[in-house]
Amino acid sequence: MRTPHVVVVMGVAGTGKTTIGPLLAARLGVPYAEGDDFHPQANIAKMSAGTPLEDADRWPWLDAIGAWADERAGLGGAVSCSALKRSYRDRLRAAAPSVVFVHLSGDRQLIEDRMAHRQGHFMPTALLDSQFATLQPLEADEAGVVVDVSGSPEAITERAVAALAALPDAVA
């Protein structure tokens, strides 16, 4: 019997974390949490103004997500979280050691186009360059998979499920 994991759906803004996260959670039969809901209002105001967050802004946010993931240990869950730096992922793993990452990755032009056409989100396209500059891809010793974001949300979700199922300690 597989141990349910908490899957962190990560990537730069515009990769589809908020779209793919709930679809993936439904496929895995686990609850979903929107990572943006863990941000303090000050972070949202800062990003809305086009100012990138600093690490000091992110620590309480990551700690809140890590606490949620730890509460779900053994039960499973999925949560969206940019988790762009290795140190951010290390912090999440310190709180919830069995988290597994799904890194949504894609062409910058595609992601920028998607960001330009979405409505009601606080993250402006002007911050995309800072997101890519901050991104440190998953390393070989990190439990996770990289999933291309081209195609429909359903196709991306299917690729994520297949990639997770191929992990040594399969999640899907």
Side-chain angles (χ1 to χ4, degrees):
M1 184 168 176
R2 296 180 195 158
T3 303
H5 292 274
V6 173
V7 177
V8 177
V9 181
M10 63 166 282
V12 299
T15 54
K17 296 181 296 292
T18 299
T19 300
I20 303 306
L23 293 172
L24 184 59
R27 279 295 313 275
L28 299 175
V30 297
Y32 171 72
E34 170 54 54
D36 287 341
D37 293 344
F38 293 88
H39 273 298
Q41 189 57 43
N43 285 7
I44 293 172
K46 197 171 187 177
M47 290 182 285
S48 295
T51 304
L53 296 180
E54 298 174 11
D55 286 354
D57 301 315
R58 287 189 178 93
W59 298 138
W61 174 63
L62 291 165
D63 290 343
I65 292 171
W68 182 87
D70 186 51
E71 290 170 7
R72 301 293 318 157
L75 303 171
V79 60
S80 58
C81 173
S82 53
L84 298 177
K85 287 185 181 179
R86 170 71 187 243
S87 61
Y88 305 161
R89 297 187 299 271
D90 288 346
R91 193 161 184 129
L92 291 171
R93 273 191 298 273
S98 65
V99 297
V100 175
F101 296 91
V102 170
H103 177 188
L104 299 178
S105 179
D107 175 71
R108 190 196 184 290
Q109 184 63 38
L110 171 66
I111 294 167
E112 184 174 18
D113 184 61
R114 286 182 179 170
M115 283 183 77
H117 289 95
R118 68 183 181 180
Q119 297 178 0
H121 197 279
F122 58 81
M123 179 69 86
T125 56
L127 291 182
L128 189 55
D129 286 336
S130 72
Q131 293 263 300
F132 273 105
T134 302
L135 177 64
Q136 296 171 343
L138 288 175
E139 296 180 28
D141 65 332
E142 294 183 271
V145 297
V146 178
V147 177
D148 179 65
V149 296
S150 61
S152 71
E154 294 76 18
I156 298 164
T157 302
E158 289 307 312
R159 282 196 295 273
V161 169
L164 288 168
L167 287 174
D169 184 14
V171 177

